[in-house]
Amino acid sequence: DEDSFVEAAPPSPTSPNSDALQIDRGDNIRVFVRVRPLNAKEDLAHVRDSIVVDTALGAVHFAEPPRSFAFDGVLGESALQEDVFQLFGTNVADACLSGYNGSIYVYGQTGSGKTYTMQGAVDSVQSMHHDEKRGLMCRILD
């Protein structure tokens, strides 16, 4: 049963649908994960069968070895740039405009989508303002 390892993960108290995310928790670090679409090599190797992204629980589950990781928020491979911005970009931007320090760090393996998430597909000055694929930097400055 492919869902058997998913049931083992406890719900995250700070999943995107949780009220805990809406509470002002003062100085803190929050961790969000964005899972990129599979590349051709991963698709051929059936990697999709070994990972389950649970956005409701804010968790990522692996089949072999069976393990789960919970985060403050998780975005699956179908997430749009706007989804990323709404999940945490708006909060950081609002805090900065209110006089607080705010930082967004992206971390990951080469080719995992860090630059795409932060910059998006910047082909021209116009795309930085209007393209739906523009990244967090362009959206925060908008």
Side-chain angles (χ1 to χ4, degrees):
D1 179 19
E2 71 176 30
D3 293 329
S4 61
F5 67 96
V6 174
E7 296 171 351
S12 169
T14 54
S15 66
N17 296 330
S18 170
D19 291 335
L21 203 65
Q22 304 303 320
I23 298 171
D24 180 14
R25 299 186 302 192
D27 292 338
N28 60 49
I29 295 174
R30 296 182 190 173
V31 179
F32 296 89
V33 173
R34 182 181 195 182
V35 178
R36 65 164 171 74
L38 298 178
N39 62 34
K41 184 178 178 181
E42 294 164 336
D43 203 22
L44 286 173
H46 302 287
V47 173
R48 186 176 317 280
D49 300 336
S50 63
I51 183 171
V52 174
V53 176
D54 189 337
T55 57
L57 292 178
V60 177
H61 311 282
F62 294 91
E64 291 297 325
R67 57 189 171 179
S68 298
F69 299 94
F71 302 94
D72 293 306
V74 175
L75 292 166
E77 60 186 69
S78 63
L80 304 174
Q81 294 284 66
E82 179 65 20
D83 299 332
V84 176
F85 182 65
Q86 291 301 320
L87 182 60
F88 61 87
T90 55
N91 292 337
V92 173
D94 290 344
C96 289
L97 292 173
S98 297
Y100 295 95
N101 291 328
S103 300
I104 297 174
Y105 293 92
V106 292
Y107 177 81
Q109 190 172 345
T110 299
S112 62
K114 301 175 300 291
T115 303
Y116 178 77
T117 296
M118 291 302 292
Q119 296 178 353
V122 179
D123 299 323
S124 65
V125 173
Q126 290 79 14
S127 70
M128 292 170 57
H129 294 285
H130 305 292
D131 192 327
E132 66 183 32
K133 293 182 181 178
R134 69 188 190 279
L136 284 172
M137 294 185 323
C138 297
R139 291 172 189 273
I140 286 176
L141 298 172
D142 198 11

